[in-house]
Amino acid sequence: MTASILVTRRPPGNALDILDAAGEVELWDVDAVMPRSELRRRVAKADALYCMLTDRIDADLLDSAPRLRVVSNMAVGLDNVDLRACTARGVVVGHTPGVLTGATADLAMTLLLAAARRIGEGIDHVRSGAWGDFRLDLLLGQEVHSSVVGVIGMGRIGTALARRAAGFGMSIIYSGPNRKPTVERELGAEYRDLATLLEMADHVVVTAPLTAATHHLVNEQSFVLMKPTATLVNVARGPLVDTDALVAALQNREIAAAALDVTDPEPLPADHPLLRLPNCTVIPHLGSATVKTRNAMAELAARNVALGLAGERMEACANPEVYG
Ligand code: DGY
């Protein structure tokens, strides 16, 4: 019998061709998140689910999907997928590590530079018509070269960001659950516990995955530890940072600036206090948003579906224990 593949958003590149060759595709061809009720109704008949980071794949959904064997998330992050519930039901889960590392690290470096050099405020200044004579004290920011970057989560993206930072002559410290000897050797990166990293870093970049253990990893106490001249960049997931604490820290100048690609909540409402703060730059989750990277993610996620349905090892599998 031909496998049924539910796709929750039209993917770019050749992904649909790959999926068409693997089974019968049911595409939610609406440019919006698939409503939960639709997802639940349609997944009931699906053998494979090709989903986005905006779809919540939990035990409740899996219980309404008796045929489901494959979940393929078109994202590297898996905080929207209950991996344990999938594994318990023998559902193999794919994701898209690697192909988005470079683009996301580029964006993290962009945000670090923007926060340190007050680029958002500079753009607002010019657009508002306030640009007058050259001033010696206009929008003075923080140094990037020869400063210390603190990377929270030295995984693929953290490492790629650290390489970029090394190119700017920055010293690198990092925290996380494990030491990374290869990064230490390659870049001279030094491991620090989180509190020490927050105290030492001129620029803190969050690249850790969101899990129960990392929720609000950066919180009110963190901002007390950070330098008043420090900047914070988040390209991971919004809930790693306590938003209310960040608003207070930026308002009270406990830190100099923040630049966020991800927020909590996401999307951020237009009247959110973060958007009224001149020292906060927010962009709408664009880490992997280049044509080439999004195509590569979409196609990798499609190949994961094809391999999963064929009972073969996915290229990028998050719960390989399902294969036994
Ligand atoms: C991911 O893949 O997890 C990013 O956040 C979106 O590309």
Side-chain angles (χ1 to χ4, degrees):
M1 206 169 83
T2 314
S4 162
I5 306 169
L6 177 60
V7 181
T8 66
R9 187 77 70 95
R10 176 175 282 275
N14 296 322
L16 279 179
D17 295 337
I18 299 167
L19 292 170
D20 278 334
E24 192 169 322
V25 172
E26 183 179 353
L27 173 65
W28 175 256
D29 205 3
V30 177
D31 193 16
V33 175
M34 190 174 186
R36 182 80 178 168
S37 53
E38 278 299 327
L39 178 55
R40 191 199 294 268
R41 194 169 68 76
R42 293 176 190 231
V43 82
K45 299 183 297 288
D47 299 291
L49 174 63
Y50 182 104
C51 58
M52 306 291 131
L53 56 82
T54 41
D55 302 313
R56 192 164 32 86
I57 314 304
D58 55 13
D60 172 53
L61 187 82
L62 295 170
D63 285 343
S64 51
R67 288 170 48 171
L68 200 67
R69 287 181 284 139
V70 175
V71 168
S72 179
N73 205 34
M74 203 201 112
V76 64
L78 283 163
D79 48 291
N80 61 312
V81 179
D82 184 337
L83 257 192
R84 199 178 301 175
C86 289
T87 306
R89 289 161 179 78
V91 175
V92 68
V93 177
H95 65 143
T96 64
V99 291
L100 49 65
T101 301
T104 308
D106 287 347
L107 191 87
M109 198 66 210
T110 305
L111 290 180
L112 189 160
L113 290 160
R117 299 304 302 271
R118 307 179 65 174
I119 298 303
E121 289 168 90
I123 292 170
D124 289 348
H125 185 79
V126 174
R127 288 213 166 127
S128 74
W131 194 7
D133 289 339
F134 177 79
R135 278 175 43 188
L136 289 176
D137 61 349
L138 182 64
L139 294 175
L140 303 185
Q142 306 301 324
E143 299 280 28
V144 172
H145 69 91
S146 49
S147 66
V148 176
V149 64
V151 181
I152 301 180
M154 192 60 95
R156 292 182 199 82
I157 295 169
T159 303
L161 178 270
R163 291 199 179 105
R164 285 153 178 74
F168 274 77
M170 302 173 85
S171 306
I172 297 146
I173 55 177
Y174 73 100
S175 70
N178 303 308
R179 293 281 293 260
K180 299 292 167 102
T182 50
V183 183
E184 293 185 14
R185 271 195 303 277
E186 179 191 334
L187 301 172
E190 293 181 7
Y191 184 81
R192 295 283 184 270
D193 62 69
L194 181 58
T196 308
L197 177 145
L198 292 167
E199 280 170 351
M200 288 179 65
D202 297 304
H203 308 287
V204 174
V205 183
V206 182
T207 55
L210 175 62
T211 62
T214 61
H215 186 266
H216 285 190
L217 193 61
V218 178
N219 52 42
E220 195 180 343
Q221 187 54 32
S222 313
F223 297 118
V224 175
L225 295 172
M226 286 170 73
K227 300 179 185 184
T229 50
T231 69
L232 174 74
V233 171
N234 188 2
V235 292
R237 287 290 184 268
L240 279 140
V241 176
D242 178 340
T243 302
D244 292 342
L246 175 61
V247 170
L250 289 167
Q251 273 167 346
N252 303 333
R253 303 279 164 173
E254 284 175 81
I255 64 170
L260 311 172
D261 183 41
V262 288
T263 58
D264 180 23
E266 192 173 307
L268 206 58
D271 61 352
H272 193 278
L274 272 181
L275 300 180
R276 290 199 293 271
L277 294 169
N279 52 347
C280 187
T281 299
V282 182
I283 56 170
H285 206 144
L286 298 176
S288 61
T290 71
V291 175
K292 195 170 168 190
T293 293
R294 284 282 162 81
N295 287 351
M297 291 167 69
E299 290 163 15
L300 171 55
R303 292 197 300 278
N304 280 339
V305 167
L307 290 166
L309 284 174
E312 291 172 31
R313 292 242 161 202
M314 286 177 165
E315 278 180 50
C317 179
N319 59 349
E321 59 271 28
V322 170
Y323 290 109

